[in-house]
Amino acid sequence: MQLKLLKEDCKEWREFLKDTEHLIIHTPEWKQFIEATFPRTKAKYYALESQGKIKFLFPTFHTFASFLPNKSAAFIEYGGPIGKANKRQFNQIKERLPENIEIRQGLCNDILRKNFVEVKAFKRFVLPLKSEDELWKHIHKAQRKAVRMAEKSGVTVKDVPKKDLPELYYMYLKAMKVFGSAPFSKKYFENFYTYFIDKNMGRMLGAYYDGKLVAILSGYMIGKRIHINMNVSDTKYLQFRPNDALHWEFIRWGCSKKYKVFDFGAARVGSGQFSFKKKWKAELHDLSNFYFKKPKIGLDVSSPLFKIPIVIWKMTPLPLAKLVGPLLRETVRI
């Protein structure tokens, strides 16, 4: 097989994806989205090609001025290669990978386990989709009660139109300040519409109370899979359970469109997100990272080391957070 770098969208790439199970990160849209949104991050898509056809694909990302490892994923919890390659063929790519690379779990995990050191970093919740009636009976009683409470409180759920981006982004900035986390830039949301929503590869659902946007839930749709990537809300309206309404609407929509999997994404044990996702009675799985050598120091956000910057960020004025936050977020690549 011949090794090549995919620098732009092409027929061979599209044909490979059409015949190969893949994630959103393996698409040309993801490469375009990353390069249009994060100016300091460069994507390399290594492909093994035989007789003009791509057989194997491995994306990697590097952010300049970052103290963290190179990654096989950027701003998403899944990464790694797709396709088929034997050890000799895979070594053509492996030899070009930086020694400090962090490869995130994906679809070819057996290949990764044979070639790298596995570290179980997080957990993830995955809900197999069936009929709406079956899932309604399946989810925890407390979740059904929460969804009904949202409906009775007057919470409505609909797709957020692009014209509402200013309102959406302001709510998002305030929510990230509450979390003590650096925000994405507004361009992130603009490009999410351009590269995913406008191409039916993503959704941005909003929960409204008295006409006001109080929570959002966004996700990717690829193949038979829905993968949630963001959920933030205005804490003043949590009593009306907008997040429960958003998740149920996305789930029931997925059932009606014949999707097979609803992926809640990564969750840290003991966090509020972990408890929330657990109530949907989704399947709990490990979420691993792979390395050439096991890292000496892990990036554990539950560590006391991270409590100080979180407190500082919560105290940061919103205009300053909006200005410097996106730079910090790109540098950390989360």
Side-chain angles (χ1 to χ4, degrees):
M1 288 192 191
Q2 179 184 359
L3 177 64
K4 65 183 297 185
L5 277 175
L6 299 179
K7 297 183 178 180
E8 58 185 17
D9 195 353
C10 62
K11 178 183 177 183
E12 293 80 9
W13 193 346
R14 293 292 179 180
E15 289 181 345
F16 170 68
L17 294 180
K18 185 174 64 175
D19 299 328
T20 307
E21 184 182 4
H22 59 280
L23 305 172
I24 194 71
I25 192 174
H26 300 113
T27 64
E29 284 81 9
W30 185 263
K31 184 177 187 296
Q32 295 161 5
F33 169 74
I34 291 297
E35 292 174 345
T37 308
F38 303 101
R40 297 167 187 83
T41 301
K42 302 302 178 184
K44 285 187 177 181
Y45 278 64
Y46 292 102
L48 292 176
E49 187 179 76
S50 176
Q51 297 180 341
K53 292 187 177 181
I54 295 174
K55 302 293 184 180
F56 192 79
L57 183 68
F58 196 138
T60 66
F61 301 84
H62 172 70
T63 301
F64 293 99
S66 175
F67 64 92
L68 296 177
N70 292 273
K71 293 183 182 290
S72 72
F75 315 102
I76 194 169
E77 59 266 61
Y78 298 111
I82 54 169
K84 295 181 180 180
N86 59 36
K87 185 175 181 62
R88 179 181 59 81
Q89 293 164 345
F90 179 70
N91 280 341
Q92 294 184 64
I93 295 177
K94 184 179 178 181
E95 291 170 356
R96 287 165 172 78
L97 299 177
E99 292 184 1
N100 68 338
I101 193 169
E102 176 183 278
I103 306 169
R104 293 181 173 176
Q105 178 177 317
L107 298 175
C108 292
N109 300 311
D110 287 342
I111 292 178
L112 297 178
R113 291 188 179 101
K114 291 176 181 177
N115 287 273
F116 302 94
V117 177
E118 180 177 9
V119 176
K120 295 180 179 179
F122 294 96
K123 297 289 185 178
R124 64 190 183 103
F125 283 101
V126 178
L127 180 66
L129 297 183
K130 304 174 183 178
S131 70
E132 180 181 334
D133 290 340
E134 286 178 289
L135 278 180
W136 182 251
K137 295 175 183 177
H138 170 79
I139 64 177
H140 197 280
K141 181 180 179 180
Q143 286 306 107
R144 297 198 297 269
K145 183 178 180 181
V147 172
R148 293 192 186 102
M149 181 184 296
E151 293 174 350
K152 291 179 181 178
S153 299
V155 173
T156 59
V157 176
K158 63 180 182 179
D159 288 283
V160 182
K162 198 169 185 176
K163 66 179 180 62
D164 286 353
L165 263 177
E167 181 182 5
L168 184 160
Y169 190 61
Y170 181 66
M171 184 195 70
Y172 165 77
L173 284 175
K174 292 195 298 181
M176 296 305 287
K177 191 172 186 298
V178 172
F179 293 154
S181 181
F184 287 123
S185 67
K186 188 178 180 181
K187 184 182 294 186
Y188 175 95
F189 294 89
E190 294 170 345
N191 289 336
F192 184 82
Y193 277 82
T194 299
Y195 293 103
F196 303 120
I197 294 179
D198 292 349
K199 298 183 179 183
N200 295 317
M201 297 171 66
R203 288 191 83 189
M204 179 72 71
L205 283 178
Y208 293 80
Y209 183 80
D210 281 347
K212 175 182 173 62
L213 181 64
V214 298
I216 59 167
L217 178 67
S218 63
Y220 309 106
M221 296 94 67
I222 197 78
K224 294 296 182 180
R225 181 172 178 267
I226 295 171
H227 171 210
I228 296 304
N229 74 312
M230 184 179 295
N231 176 212
V232 296
S233 52
D234 188 328
T235 56
K236 296 179 182 178
Y237 297 87
L238 291 180
Q239 60 181 314
F240 303 123
R241 310 307 291 264
N243 293 314
D244 300 87
L246 284 169
H247 280 80
W248 175 244
E249 174 58 29
F250 215 150
I251 289 171
R252 62 181 294 275
W253 177 84
C255 293
S256 70
K257 298 298 182 181
K258 307 302 181 184
Y259 286 95
K260 298 299 182 183
V261 172
F262 188 89
D263 191 331
F264 287 86
R268 180 169 49 82
V269 177
S271 67
Q273 285 189 338
F274 188 93
S275 300
F276 176 81
K277 295 173 182 180
K278 184 178 181 180
K279 292 179 182 178
W280 294 94
K281 289 190 175 181
E283 298 174 355
L284 182 63
H285 300 279
D286 290 321
L287 184 58
S288 297
N289 293 333
F290 298 85
Y291 306 87
F292 276 104
K293 295 181 181 179
K294 186 176 180 179
K296 294 181 180 180
I297 301 176
L299 186 62
D300 182 6
V301 294
S302 65
S303 168
L305 179 67
F306 285 86
K307 290 184 178 180
I308 294 177
I310 288 174
V311 171
I312 293 174
W313 195 258
K314 287 183 178 181
M315 299 171 62
T316 303
L318 203 60
L320 181 61
K322 181 180 178 181
L323 180 65
V324 304
L327 174 61
L328 293 174
R329 190 67 183 263
E330 182 174 5
T331 302
V332 178
R333 291 194 308 270
I334 54 174

